[in-house]
Amino acid sequence: MVIKEPTSSTFVFRRDGAGTWLTALIWHPRLECWLPSGGHVETTENIAEAAIREVREETGLDVQLLPGPSVPAPA
């Protein structure tokens, strides 16, 4: 049996002083790899709020979400 729980992941980008793009990734100890911030959506928040919260919890950064291409969510 598979239990589906909503999650949210966020790619964080910024440019340094030379114009080079940098991204914030976190080390996932169980998967042993670098990943964008993310986690489960709490019952009291929407996906966007979860994305911002997870970035703050995992990186300490305050971020602003930017609109991206509209893609329907999978069933």
Side-chain angles (χ1 to χ4, degrees):
M1 180 167 114
V2 175
I3 298 173
K4 295 182 180 182
E5 296 181 9
T7 61
S8 182
S9 296
T10 307
F11 288 90
V12 178
F13 295 98
R14 74 173 179 91
R15 285 192 177 174
D16 67 7
T20 302
W21 283 102
L22 304 172
T23 187
L25 298 174
I26 56 122
W27 179 254
H28 193 291
R30 185 171 52 86
L31 298 176
E32 296 186 343
C33 63
W34 292 97
L35 295 172
S37 296
H40 292 274
V41 178
E42 302 294 334
T43 57
T44 59
E45 63 190 359
N46 61 39
I47 293 172
E49 292 166 335
I52 293 169
R53 177 184 52 76
E54 289 289 348
V55 170
R56 190 176 305 115
E57 287 177 0
E58 295 178 355
T59 70
L61 300 172
D62 288 318
V63 297
Q64 175 185 358
L65 298 181
L66 301 176
S70 179
V71 178

